[in-house]
Amino acid sequence: MRDPRCAFTLIELIVVVGTLAMLAGLTISSVGAARDAAKRAACASNLGMMAKAAIAYADDHRGQFPWASRRVNGELICWDFITGKDGTVRPGEMWSGYGIVSVMQCPAFAGGKANWKDNPFTGYNYNSSYIGKVEGDPGKRTGPARISQIRDPGRTALFGDGQYGSGANKFMRAPISDRTHDASAKSVRLAGTQGFRHGGKTNVAFCDGHVESLAQPYQYGGEEGFTAQDCGFLSPDNRLYSGAD
């Protein structure tokens, strides 16, 4: 017969169950944190490869970075995808030519309804205010920037985690209108914000090829409520977009 003195009391049983539940919670939390960290690292690696591909592209095109978007012979050519005359979508010349298609998807981005012109969403956007150029955008410049024009490559954003209120965006915008480079309306700029989806941080690839995780989302002009939750600009002015001091 079992010695009743060896049996658990109700209090002891509650303590054991509570301890096991706490340990399980800690394990799940640790696994979740590790998974998020892995996604952040994979995203940073993707952006680094994209930046290097864009630099290689510029080297092969007389120092000029790719267009953000323009029409050529009836096709809509964007920095990431090309929409043919028949409406079919294929990888853009930069990605298909430099083997980058496989990394053009942020592992932490689930998508959204703002897939531009029926292009696949990737979760990434391209600095269209100062580096790329969207054909027809207001502003005096007529084409993409050249490598030689970037005053501070290590502090000028090239690609990043694109996101705004309705989902995906592919054209990164600086917060302040600039008549020379990008004089787009505020609504256009607000659609070009970054997603701070990696534990409250956003990954950014700069024009020298290095990648950083930034933690401070800036509202438009310092006014609360203009940008969507977990979205914002990289700086309160255009300095991280234009490379200005």
Side-chain angles (χ1 to χ4, degrees), residues 215-244:
Q216 176 62 59
Y218 290 95
Q219 303 292 330
Y220 173 79
E223 300 176 69
E224 296 295 330
F226 276 89
T227 58
Q229 184 177 3
D230 299 325
C231 299
F233 294 99
L234 301 175
S235 54
D237 49 30
N238 292 359
R239 72 184 62 184
L240 285 185
Y241 302 84
S242 66

Side-chain angles (χ1 to χ4, degrees), residues 74-88:
E75 293 190 320
L76 182 60
I77 300 178
C78 294
W79 66 270
D80 49 0
F81 297 104
I82 297 173
T83 302
K85 296 179 182 179
D86 59 355
T88 58

Side-chain angles (χ1 to χ4, degrees), residues 47 51-52 55 152-159 204-214 234 240-241:
L47 287 169
K52 290 177 175 61
I55 293 168
D152 189 355
R155 303 310 301 160
T156 304
L158 184 57
F159 298 109
V204 184
F206 290 88
C207 287
D208 65 350
H210 89 281
V211 179
E212 293 183 25
S213 292
L214 304 181
L234 301 175
L240 285 185
Y241 302 84

Side-chain angles (χ1 to χ4, degrees), residues 64-104:
Q64 188 177 62
F65 283 103
W67 281 79
S69 174
R70 64 170 174 165
R71 286 194 176 273
V72 178
N73 297 326
E75 293 190 320
L76 182 60
I77 300 178
C78 294
W79 66 270
D80 49 0
F81 297 104
I82 297 173
T83 302
K85 296 179 182 179
D86 59 355
T88 58
V89 179
R90 66 185 189 273
E93 60 180 338
M94 179 163 56
W95 311 126
S96 59
Y98 294 86
I100 302 300
V101 174
S102 62
V103 304
M104 277 187 57

Side-chain angles (χ1 to χ4, degrees), residues 5-192:
R5 292 175 299 177
C6 296
F8 285 112
T9 66
L10 179 59
I11 293 177
E12 290 173 329
L13 184 60
I14 292 174
V15 170
V16 170
V17 172
T19 301
L20 291 175
M22 181 180 68
L23 291 174
L26 290 173
T27 300
I28 293 172
S29 177
S30 297
V31 170
R35 182 176 62 249
D36 291 343
K39 289 181 179 179
R40 183 169 65 248
C43 173
S45 176
N46 289 350
L47 287 169
M49 286 188 278
M50 289 166 59
K52 290 177 175 61
I55 293 168
Y57 176 96
D59 285 340
D60 291 341
H61 290 79
R62 299 181 179 179
Q64 188 177 62
F65 283 103
W67 281 79
S69 174
R70 64 170 174 165
R71 286 194 176 273
V72 178
N73 297 326
E75 293 190 320
L76 182 60
I77 300 178
C78 294
W79 66 270
D80 49 0
F81 297 104
I82 297 173
T83 302
K85 296 179 182 179
D86 59 355
T88 58
V89 179
R90 66 185 189 273
E93 60 180 338
M94 179 163 56
W95 311 126
S96 59
Y98 294 86
I100 302 300
V101 174
S102 62
V103 304
M104 277 187 57
Q105 180 65 55
C106 174
F109 187 68
K113 63 182 180 181
N115 303 341
W116 195 80
K117 302 291 186 183
D118 296 323
N119 283 189
F121 57 77
T122 66
Y124 295 131
N125 60 8
Y126 173 42
N127 184 348
S128 303
S129 289
Y130 286 90
I131 306 302
K133 167 71 175 177
V134 174
E135 189 176 50
D137 267 4
K140 294 181 180 179
R141 68 190 181 107
T142 59
R146 297 185 182 276
I147 291 178
S148 59
Q149 295 174 317
I150 310 301
R151 287 174 287 176
D152 189 355
R155 303 310 301 160
T156 304
L158 184 57
F159 298 109
D161 285 315
Q163 187 175 335
Y164 80 121
S166 297
N169 73 60
K170 60 195 288 176
F171 302 124
M172 179 193 296
R173 300 288 185 171
I176 310 299
S177 178
D178 179 336
R179 287 183 296 177
T180 299
H181 297 89
D182 181 9
S184 297
K186 184 172 75 172
S187 60
V188 172
R189 299 196 303 277
L190 291 178

